[in-house]
Amino acid sequence: MKRTPFVLAVLLLLAACKPAPPPSWTGYAEGELLYLSAPVAGRVQRLHVAAGDAVTAGQLLFEFDPTLEQAASAEAEARSRSAAAQAANTDKGRREAEIAVTRAQLAQARSSAQLAASDLARQEQLLAQGFVARARVDDAATLVRQTQARIAELEAALAVAQLPARPDERSSARALADAAEKGLSQAQWRVQEKRQTAPAAGRVTDVFLRPGEWANAAQPVLALLPPTQRKARFYVPQSELGGLHLGDAVRLACDGCGAPIEAKVSFIAPGPEYTPPVIYSNAQRQKLVFLVEARPVKAEDAERLHPGQPLDVTR
């Protein structure tokens, strides 16, 4: 049947009244892997996970042989105890047994002084009676002075024996004790770093080293992909870029993913992927596209995205 111009005009008008379909783009899933290593070198002793395993935050992943570090830690602990004891010793006087010896010598000196004083008194009495010469009295007086000097010497020695070390020596001992403590902390840290745990929940995507192999410091042992590091990447023509903003909601669909995944735009490239050499012509502007990234709103939905998987993205 031949359609009249009026019927054609009505059909065109109805077609123009239909709402335009929402914009859609093609992209793919991508994962930002965490390459996990130890900050110290060592031989891989145990692997507690395998590729494909799901892990929780804080779960033990791998261990290095800690024999050398444990020995160094034990040595550092012994040095720390020794330095701490030496620092404490400088705050004390001499040992009680040594002080007791000085006290005994002081008591003996005081007894000798008493005898010398008694002898001097007797010699002076005999001198007055004319029974001894003056020289005997002078010798007795000299002995009294010697015993008194000995008492003063031992009293000073006893006071010094009860004093701590000099301030400079005490400061030096405390500094050495602090240094030994810091060395112990470093040794203990190295022992702890021989065991590495998962910084976040995720899935092990690859294992690079096996038990018995040597790993240098910071050399990755395995790769972990947390759900929060899965995202969609897609390209938006420059003509549609103005209607897309950070935080906008998009829907991700893929083969076998089930229901669409709700996501939010997390990145819009500041520049285009294709730049003509001189001037943008109308034809060239149609080729300009901008990279956009979106991350799933829910972590459980992110698990449905597999790196490299094609995606359809709609508003």
Side-chain angles (χ1 to χ4, degrees), residues 5-303:
F6 176 75
V7 174
L8 291 175
V10 171
L11 292 176
L12 291 174
L13 182 61
L14 292 175
C17 292
K18 290 183 179 179
S24 62
W25 309 281
T26 300
Y28 59 93
E30 184 175 88
E32 296 175 340
L33 299 176
L34 300 181
Y35 294 94
L36 303 184
S37 60
V40 294
R43 191 176 305 280
V44 180
Q45 188 177 58
R46 292 187 187 89
L47 280 173
H48 295 275
V49 294
D53 287 352
V55 299
T56 58
Q59 179 176 336
L60 183 61
L61 301 178
F62 60 87
E63 298 178 71
F64 287 177
D65 183 5
T67 303
L68 180 62
E69 284 71 18
Q70 287 174 345
S73 179
E75 178 186 5
E77 185 176 0
R79 291 181 183 276
S80 178
R81 289 198 304 268
S82 174
Q86 291 176 1
N89 187 57
T90 60
D91 293 330
K92 304 173 183 177
R94 299 177 68 179
R95 292 178 298 177
E96 187 60 33
E98 294 174 324
I99 294 176
V101 172
T102 305
R103 287 189 178 132
Q105 292 173 343
L106 178 59
Q108 182 181 5
R110 285 171 177 165
S111 298
S112 298
Q114 290 177 355
L115 291 174
S118 298
D119 184 61
L120 176 61
R122 186 170 57 255
Q123 294 299 329
E124 288 176 340
Q125 184 179 4
L126 292 175
L127 177 63
Q129 296 174 354
F131 294 118
V132 294
R134 184 70 190 180
R136 294 285 299 272
V137 175
D138 291 342
D139 290 343
T142 300
L143 183 59
V144 168
R145 289 193 297 271
Q146 289 177 344
T147 56
Q148 290 175 344
R150 177 61 175 167
I151 290 173
E153 176 188 359
L154 292 172
E155 287 177 343
L158 182 60
V160 170
Q162 295 173 329
L163 291 175
R166 290 181 297 179
D168 291 344
E169 292 176 341
R170 295 164 67 188
S171 297
S172 175
R174 283 194 293 267
L176 290 175
D178 290 341
E181 184 67 24
K182 297 298 187 296
L184 175 60
S185 297
Q186 293 179 20
Q188 291 174 339
W189 175 83
R190 293 180 67 87
V191 172
Q192 293 172 357
E193 292 303 317
K194 290 288 185 173
R195 295 164 52 91
Q196 291 296 312
T197 59
R203 191 170 296 277
V204 178
T205 61
D206 204 351
V207 176
F208 308 115
L209 296 175
R210 304 293 173 182
E213 293 183 307
W214 181 265
N216 295 321
Q219 180 180 355
V221 176
L222 55 83
L224 181 69
L225 180 57
T228 55
Q229 300 299 104
R230 299 177 189 239
K231 60 185 179 182
R233 293 175 61 121
F234 55 98
Y235 293 88
V236 177
Q238 63 88 24
S239 59
E240 301 174 8
L241 188 66
L244 203 59
H245 307 88
L246 291 176
D248 283 355
V250 294
R251 294 161 66 87
L252 312 177
C254 58
D255 297 336
C257 288
I261 298 172
E262 301 294 331
K264 288 188 176 182
V265 175
S266 59
F267 172 79
I268 299 177
E273 294 295 315
Y274 167 74
T275 306
V278 182
I279 261 189
Y280 293 139
S281 68
N282 288 335
Q284 289 167 334
R285 280 190 295 188
Q286 297 301 321
K287 300 178 183 179
L288 291 179
V289 291
F290 288 75
L291 172 65
V292 178
E293 295 179 355
R295 296 181 183 270
V297 176
K298 298 179 180 179
E300 56 268 24
D301 287 339
E303 287 281 358

